[in-house]
């Protein structure tokens, strides 16, 4: 199977299956000298891991990461960093009934047709369990970006099913199981999920990810556009069916005089472009929205076919997230970090000696500047990080 490596200079190659002994990845391209321990990675893994609330799968995994190589005396050596996460709570018997049939909405059918075999236990290689190692690799990138450039990457749940979640403060994201930047809506979200879980159905979600502090100049103008690579990375996350950069699809109804972000000597007046112009970062906040589809594994009967092409009715049992989007925020943050570190290294390799003569304008608009973009408004004046 090809297609298991992501990145150009900062490369992540993952391996493992949902119900195998372990999952893991090899990170190649991390510069030497970065102070790194398992604790630096574990924090993000704990945010993503299953079993953290009644609203997500109750599979119990500690997701404890082991660093097998690439770190000596507490610092990266520049050699490949091998990371391992052992699977501890598989219940393969839950999937015995779907061994010869295909779950609607899953990759069972396409995987079988492509490879002629499949690991039906939890989806095998196609399982979202694999995203844990992306989060681990992203944690390394996140730390390097913050230490070298001051980049801060954060995300939040912007909508859960039919319930929009107005942004209030970054400080609220860690205080609820939904990654919602709004403490007042948590009870409504709890009630929504309780009703959904009892119904046996599932729902989708919208997640917003923001990178603050990325300098101007990252990205290539043609085939290596920063926004194109970010879109590809986000679409590569399990269950993601849509990606917006900045205003995204709202740009369809905007006039050019509204969408184009005016500049003054004091800074940009808006950020409809999402911090990227012509595939190159502007120095503003990089804003990405992703749409996560409803979980395909539902206990309600669904029509499908078996391996012989005969009609069957599939009822999926086992432990599943009623909304996979609830745990997707750390994954989206990780993929953004991986892409940004890759582009930072690429820019440094080719353009480190470039000295611009035009003054670099402020990254964000002055407070009170007119801006009709909901995405830009949500991140125009973010709350500061806690000390």
């Amino acid at each position: 199977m090809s297609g298991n490596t992501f990145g150009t200079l900062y490369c992540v190659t993952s391996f493992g299956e949902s119900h195998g002994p372990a999952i893991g990845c090899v990170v190649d391209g991390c510069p030497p000298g970065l102070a790194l321990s398992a604790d630096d990675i574990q924090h993000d893994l704990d945010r993503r891991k299953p079993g953290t609330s009644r609203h997500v799968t109750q599979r119990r995994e500690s997701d404890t990461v082991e660093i097998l190589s690439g770190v000596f005396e507490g610092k990266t050596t520049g050699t490949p960093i091998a990371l391992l996460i052992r699977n501890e709570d598989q219940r393969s018997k839950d999937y015995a009934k779907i061994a010869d049939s295909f779950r609607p909405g899953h990759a069972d059918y396409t995987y079988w047709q492509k490879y002629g075999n499949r690991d039906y236990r939890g989806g095998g290689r196609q399982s979202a369990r694999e995203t844990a190692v992306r989060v681990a690799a992203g944690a390394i990138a996140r730390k390097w970006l913050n230490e070298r450039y001051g980049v801060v990457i954060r995300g939040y749940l912007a909508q859960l099913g039919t319930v929009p979640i107005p942004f209030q403060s970054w400080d609220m994201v860690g205080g609820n199981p939904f990654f919602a930047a709004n403490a007042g809506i948590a009870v409504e979200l709890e009630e929504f999920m309780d009703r959904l879980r009892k119904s046996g159905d599932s729902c989708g979600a919208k997640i917003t990810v923001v990178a603050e502090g990325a300098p101007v100049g990252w990205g290539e103008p043609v085939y290596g556009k920063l926004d194109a690579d970010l879109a590809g990375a986000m679409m590569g996350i399990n269950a993601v069916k849509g990606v917006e950069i900045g205003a995204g699809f709202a740009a369809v109804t905007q006039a050019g005089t509204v969408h184009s972000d005016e500049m003054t000597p004091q800074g940009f007046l808006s950020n409809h472009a999402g911090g990227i112009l012509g595939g190159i970062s502007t120095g503003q906040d990089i804003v990405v929205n992703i749409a996560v589809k409803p979980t395909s594994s539902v206990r309600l009967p669904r029509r499908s076919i078996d391996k012989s092409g005969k009609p069957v009715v599939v009822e999926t049992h086992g432990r599943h997230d009623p909304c996979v989007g609830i745990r997707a925020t750390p994954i989206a943050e990780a993929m953004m970090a991986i892409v940004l570190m890759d582009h930072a290294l690429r820019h440094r390799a080719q353009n480190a000696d470039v000295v611009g003569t035009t003054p670099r304008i402020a990254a964000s608009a002055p407070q009170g500047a007119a801006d009709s973009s909901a995405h830009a408004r949500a991140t125009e004046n973010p709350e500061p990080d806690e000390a």
Side-chain angles (χ1 to χ4, degrees):
M1 175 191 292
S2 59
N4 297 293
T5 299
F6 182 82
T8 302
L9 292 185
Y10 186 76
C11 300
V12 180
T13 302
S14 74
F15 62 86
E17 293 81 35
S18 177
H19 285 227
I23 53 177
C25 69
V26 176
V27 177
D28 203 0
C30 181
L34 175 69
L36 186 68
S37 69
D39 289 341
D40 294 319
I41 302 171
Q42 195 62 53
H43 171 71
D44 284 351
L45 286 171
D46 289 344
R47 295 170 66 227
R48 190 221 71 99
K49 72 180 181 181
T52 53
S53 76
R54 71 176 185 273
H55 307 297
V56 299
T57 174
Q58 295 305 295
R59 179 170 174 170
R60 297 293 176 177
E61 297 283 357
S62 66
D63 280 356
T64 302
V65 65
E66 302 173 40
I67 301 178
L68 304 183
S69 67
V71 177
F72 179 66
E73 294 182 340
K75 293 187 177 181
T76 57
T77 63
T79 58
I81 302 171
L83 306 174
L84 188 73
I85 301 171
R86 300 183 188 277
N87 292 325
E88 302 165 342
D89 187 28
Q90 309 97 312
R91 280 196 343 208
S92 301
K93 64 180 185 339
D94 289 344
Y95 299 90
K97 292 184 178 180
I98 63 165
D100 295 316
S101 58
F102 307 113
R103 295 169 295 176
H106 274 279
D108 297 348
Y109 172 76
T110 53
Y111 196 105
W112 174 259
Q113 292 284 29
K114 182 175 180 66
Y115 295 105
N117 63 74
R118 69 181 177 97
D119 183 348
Y120 56 83
R121 303 168 303 167
R125 180 71 181 144
Q126 60 188 317
S127 170
R129 177 91 184 114
E130 183 269 347
T131 60
V133 301
R134 305 190 199 191
V135 171
I140 299 172
R142 184 199 296 261
K143 183 174 185 181
W144 186 86
L145 287 165
N146 184 253
E147 291 188 2
R148 297 299 186 274
Y149 295 96
V151 175
V152 176
I153 298 172
R154 298 183 287 192
Y156 61 91
L157 185 69
Q159 184 167 336
L160 179 65
T162 57
V163 184
I165 307 171
F167 181 94
Q168 288 188 346
S169 169
W170 285 113
D171 293 337
M172 298 177 184
V173 174
N176 61 83
F178 301 99
F179 299 95
N182 186 322
I185 204 170
V187 173
E188 181 180 350
L189 300 180
E190 296 261 2
E191 293 173 349
F192 177 85
M193 288 304 301
D194 287 341
R195 292 193 301 270
L196 183 70
R197 190 171 57 255
K198 290 177 182 178
S199 74
D201 215 332
S202 61
C203 75
K206 176 183 177 181
I207 295 167
T208 299
V209 191
V210 181
E212 303 166 25
V216 61
W218 289 356
E220 310 295 343
V222 185
Y223 295 121
K225 293 178 183 287
L226 181 58
D227 44 359
D229 285 354
L230 282 169
M234 296 301 174
M235 284 298 296
I237 299 173
N238 307 60
V240 171
K241 301 301 290 184
V243 178
E244 291 182 321
I245 309 293
F249 282 93
V252 174
T253 59
Q254 290 177 337
T257 51
V258 173
H259 181 79
S260 57
D261 302 314
E262 293 183 283
M263 295 175 282
T264 72
Q266 291 72 42
F268 288 91
L269 297 183
S270 58
N271 189 17
H272 298 286
I276 302 171
L277 287 171
I280 301 171
S281 61
T282 65
Q284 295 175 277
D285 290 352
I286 297 173
V287 185
V288 179
N289 292 285
I290 63 173
V292 183
K293 73 175 184 178
T295 311
S296 298
S297 294
V298 295
R299 70 170 186 266
L300 302 176
R302 304 287 293 156
R303 291 176 294 177
S304 185
I305 61 172
D306 61 17
K307 290 180 180 178
S308 64
K310 296 179 180 178
V312 296
V313 174
V314 175
E315 296 179 27
T316 306
H317 299 282
R319 299 164 295 179
H320 305 284
D321 295 82
C323 176
V324 291
I326 292 177
R327 290 195 294 132
T329 296
I331 304 168
E333 293 172 352
M335 295 308 290
M336 177 177 276
I338 291 170
V339 172
L340 291 183
M341 182 167 179
D342 191 38
H343 274 277
L345 292 171
R346 290 157 63 176
H347 179 79
R348 188 172 71 169
Q350 183 183 17
N351 302 88
D353 296 330
V354 174
V355 179
T357 58
T358 300
R360 296 190 176 185
I361 61 178
S364 57
Q367 188 171 358
D371 187 354
S372 62
S373 166
H375 311 308
R377 285 201 306 270
T379 58
E380 185 175 30
N381 295 297
E383 296 292 329
D385 283 326
E386 294 182 358

